[in-house]
């Protein structure tokens, strides 16, 4: 059995539907297609690189589309190039492809380059300042502490 059943976990968790959907979709995609081959590497704490082997594709035949939480890489070969040629053996994959990568929140494409048959896509995770952990200074002197009045409005003590 190649598939893992997440049903028991779905019953006992709340709000993790997207995570389970990603795992199931990724497992299905890996079974169906593995062209073009690729590597994913971590080049720093918040830096990643995807390298796809796209030999035979030119820059204008490869398209990279970044959407929220999704990176889509497509390759479309011109069928006119092979017209009139008679191949005795055709072992080089020369077909169109579509490769999807699910991205975590706040991951964006930093750069892309095509060189020597390898498409290199650099990714960076940038967490907004509002979501980063913040250290809160504690005023230990006690001199600058503001008193907060917790009495309800309209009480008799405030009216006096």
């Amino acid at each position: 059995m190649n598939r893992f059943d997440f049903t028991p976990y779905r019953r006992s968790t709340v709000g993790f539907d997207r995570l389970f959907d990603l795992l199931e979709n990724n497992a299905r995609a890996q079974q169906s297609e593995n062209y073009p081959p690729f590597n994913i590497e971590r080049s720093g704490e918040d830096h990643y690189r995807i390298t796809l082997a796209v030999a035979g594709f030119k820059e204008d035949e490869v398209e990279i589309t970044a959407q929220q939480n999704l990176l889509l890489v497509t390759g479309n070969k011109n069928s006119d190039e092979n017209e009139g040629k008679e191949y005795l053996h055709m072992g080089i994959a020369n077909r169109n492809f579509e490769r999807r990568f699910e991205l975590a929140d706040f991951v964006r494409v930093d750069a892309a380059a095509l060189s020597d048959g390898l498409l290199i896509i650099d990714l960076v995770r940038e967490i907004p300042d509002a979501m980063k952990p913040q250290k809160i200074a504690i005023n230990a002197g006690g001199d600058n502490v503001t008193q907060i009045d917790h009495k309800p409005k309209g009480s008799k003590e405030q009216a006096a």
Side-chain angles (χ1 to χ4, degrees):
M1 184 170 161
N2 294 345
R3 192 180 146 133
F4 190 78
D5 185 17
F6 291 107
T7 306
Y9 300 106
R10 286 184 186 266
R11 279 188 244 135
S12 60
T13 59
V14 176
F16 291 95
D17 296 337
R18 183 171 178 264
L19 175 65
F20 293 130
D21 290 343
L22 287 173
L23 291 170
E24 288 173 348
N25 290 340
N26 194 13
R28 263 189 299 247
Q30 285 181 353
Q31 291 174 359
S32 64
E33 184 68 40
N34 45 351
Y35 175 79
F38 65 93
N39 293 336
I40 299 176
E41 63 184 275
R42 185 179 204 167
S43 56
E45 188 174 331
D46 291 324
H47 293 70
Y48 303 90
R49 174 173 280 175
I50 299 173
T51 305
L52 289 101
V54 293
F57 283 85
K58 299 174 191 161
E59 278 185 49
D60 61 339
E61 296 172 332
V62 178
E63 185 175 301
I64 302 169
T65 307
Q67 302 171 8
Q68 184 176 359
N69 298 351
L70 179 68
L71 178 67
L72 179 65
V73 181
T74 55
N76 293 311
K77 288 294 284 181
N78 295 331
S79 59
D80 301 338
E81 290 181 10
N82 293 333
E83 272 187 37
K85 294 181 182 178
E86 182 181 342
Y87 288 98
L88 299 177
H89 173 73
M90 190 169 178
I92 299 173
N94 206 11
R95 61 182 185 253
N96 297 341
F97 67 87
E98 178 178 286
R99 180 65 84 168
R100 296 173 177 266
F101 299 94
E102 297 286 338
L103 302 178
D105 293 335
F106 312 115
V107 173
R108 68 170 178 83
V109 176
D110 189 42
L114 180 61
S115 175
D116 298 329
L118 296 175
L119 176 64
I120 299 171
I121 304 169
D122 290 322
L123 305 167
V124 177
R125 179 175 50 198
E126 291 181 341
I127 299 173
D129 290 336
M131 298 189 77
K132 289 181 181 176
Q134 298 177 358
K135 293 202 179 230
I136 308 299
I138 300 173
N139 188 355
D143 297 336
N144 297 332
V145 177
T146 306
Q147 293 292 331
I148 301 174
D149 188 10
H150 293 288
K151 297 176 188 165
K153 291 184 179 182
S155 69
K156 293 180 185 177
E157 293 177 32
Q158 284 182 346

